[in-house]
């Protein structure tokens, strides 16, 4: 009997040890982990959220000629710091801007010299982390140039289906439209899909911090017996740079003519 109990206990211990080993060696999710009931986001996501909370629209970093970091808030301040001791802070609206199809060039005279920022539309990989950014960046102060990678920051709340609720302060009446106007943003594909209340529409987008750059949007050409917002989209959204913000769970598009489109989640 003692031998049987001893053998049983050894088997039970082996099973428990094997279970513990498997549990302890299970890989962590690449999208985050949980400790108790606390969600721990990946370091990259946590860093992005921290920058967004500071109002940063564009972020860049590099290791040439040494480690450096650039934060651009298009409504406020540009900050640059480098391991060589250079630290700059100046108002974004001091920068002169020049853009073409694949490059944005910012320049200004500030205290101590001349600053220039070149943002090029080209994929860029940070060698130390293998993080892939959508832009190549060169920051120059006087004759010293820093090179690296950058990206616009986007609020992932935008990545959703949004139903039009108001034009300005006036609530829309769904029965007056063939269907409720919808904007659906896909931040991964950088695309917009939806309708204007009648015709289907779509196109490309680039979220630039708290702004959305819309491409020249396309739409079908069905005859509409009821209302649509086609005129608003053609004049104020298509091929325009539009500000956005969230309030009380709703999406507000602040259009170039100072009007508003207010959406709720679909």
């Amino acid at each position: 009997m003692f031998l049987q109990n001893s053998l049983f206990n050894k088997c039970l211990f082996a099973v428990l040890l094997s279970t513990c080993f498997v549990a302890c060696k299970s890989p962590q999710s690449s999208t985050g982990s949980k400790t108790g009931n606390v969600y721990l986001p990946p370091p990259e996501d946590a860093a992005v959220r921290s920058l967004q909370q500071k109002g940063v629209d564009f972020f860049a970093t590099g290791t040439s000629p040494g480690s450096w970091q650039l934060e651009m808030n298009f409504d406020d301040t540009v900050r640059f710091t480098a391991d060589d001791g250079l630290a700059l802070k100046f108002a974004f609206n001091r920068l002169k801007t020049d853009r073409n199809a694949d490059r944005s060039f910012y320049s200004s005279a500030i205290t101590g010299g001349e600053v220039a920022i070149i943002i090029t539309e080209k994929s860029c990989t940070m060698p130390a982390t293998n993080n892939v950014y959508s832009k190549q960046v060169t920051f120059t102060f006087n004759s010293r140039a820093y090179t690296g990678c950058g990206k616009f920051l986007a609020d992932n709340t935008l990545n959703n289906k949004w139903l039009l609720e108001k034009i300005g302060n006036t609530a829309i009446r769904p029965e007056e439209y063939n269907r409720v106007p919808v904007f659906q943003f896909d931040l991964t594909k950088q695309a917009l899909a939806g309708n204007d209340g009648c015709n289907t529409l779509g196109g490309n987008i680039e979220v630039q911090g708290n702004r959305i750059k819309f491409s020249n949007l396309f739409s079908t050409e069905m005859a509409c017996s009821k209302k649509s917002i086609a005129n608003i989209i053609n004049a104020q959204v298509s091929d325009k740079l539009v500000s956005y913000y969230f309030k009380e769970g709703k999406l507000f598009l602040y259009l170039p003519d100072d009007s508003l489109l207010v959406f709720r989640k679909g």
Side-chain angles (χ1 to χ4, degrees):
M1 177 66 73
F2 173 81
L3 181 61
Q4 289 178 337
N5 287 340
S6 177
L7 183 60
F8 174 79
N9 289 336
K10 288 180 179 179
C11 292
L12 179 60
F13 176 78
V15 170
L16 292 173
L17 181 62
S18 175
T19 302
C20 178
F21 179 81
V22 171
C24 293
K25 291 295 183 180
S26 296
Q28 295 290 344
S29 167
S30 61
T31 58
S33 60
K34 289 184 177 179
T35 303
N37 293 321
V38 179
Y39 176 74
L40 302 177
E44 178 78 1
D45 290 351
V48 167
R49 277 198 293 275
S50 176
L51 290 168
Q52 288 173 332
Q53 288 170 359
K54 291 166 59 178
V56 176
D57 297 304
F58 185 85
F59 170 78
T61 187
T63 56
S64 177
S67 295
W68 59 269
Q69 182 169 302
L70 171 68
E71 300 174 3
M72 299 176 70
N73 180 330
F74 298 150
D75 296 318
D76 193 355
T77 305
V78 178
R79 290 180 172 87
F80 179 87
T81 56
D83 283 355
D84 61 13
L86 181 62
L88 302 173
K89 177 182 176 182
F90 52 91
F92 178 82
N93 61 16
R94 293 185 60 177
L95 292 170
K96 298 177 183 178
T97 305
D98 185 23
R99 293 188 179 93
N100 58 33
D102 64 354
R103 182 174 294 183
S104 296
F105 182 79
Y106 303 89
S107 62
S108 180
I110 63 172
T111 302
E114 298 280 339
V115 64
I117 306 167
I118 302 175
I119 300 173
T120 304
E121 303 289 331
K122 190 173 182 180
S123 180
C124 182
T125 303
M126 286 296 297
T129 61
N130 287 326
N131 289 332
V132 178
Y133 294 74
S134 59
K135 320 289 182 189
Q136 290 184 351
V137 179
T138 300
F139 184 96
T140 303
F141 182 65
N142 293 333
S143 60
R144 190 167 181 81
Y146 302 80
T147 59
C149 306
K151 63 181 177 180
F152 289 108
L153 305 185
D155 190 327
N156 284 328
T157 307
L158 188 65
N159 197 59
N160 222 306
K161 179 179 180 181
W162 298 92
L163 306 179
L164 184 65
E165 187 173 82
K166 293 181 180 180
I167 300 174
N169 293 321
T170 304
I172 72 160
R173 299 175 62 183
E175 66 273 13
E176 295 180 346
Y177 295 78
N178 289 326
R179 47 183 173 163
V180 174
V182 168
F183 277 12
Q184 183 157 1
F185 295 95
D186 187 326
L187 299 188
T188 301
K189 296 179 179 179
Q190 297 190 78
L192 169 73
N195 72 79
D196 59 16
C198 175
N199 282 290
T200 298
L201 60 85
N204 298 321
I205 60 168
E206 181 180 53
V207 182
Q208 303 178 357
N210 64 351
R211 297 170 173 84
I212 307 167
K213 178 66 178 75
F214 291 88
S215 70
N216 192 2
L217 302 179
F218 66 84
S219 69
T220 56
E221 298 182 356
M222 297 187 302
C224 304
S225 60
K226 296 184 178 182
K227 285 184 176 181
S228 80
I229 60 168
N231 289 340
I232 296 175
I233 291 173
N234 290 336
Q236 300 299 327
V237 178
S238 183
D239 201 26
K240 296 292 191 298
L241 187 63
V242 174
S243 297
Y244 75 95
Y245 61 93
F246 299 98
K247 183 178 179 181
E248 297 177 351
K250 296 180 180 180
L251 167 65
F252 292 74
L253 294 187
Y254 186 69
L255 306 183
D257 67 350
D258 295 333
S259 62
L260 280 174
L261 295 179
V262 184
F263 297 80
R264 60 179 173 82
K265 277 188 180 180

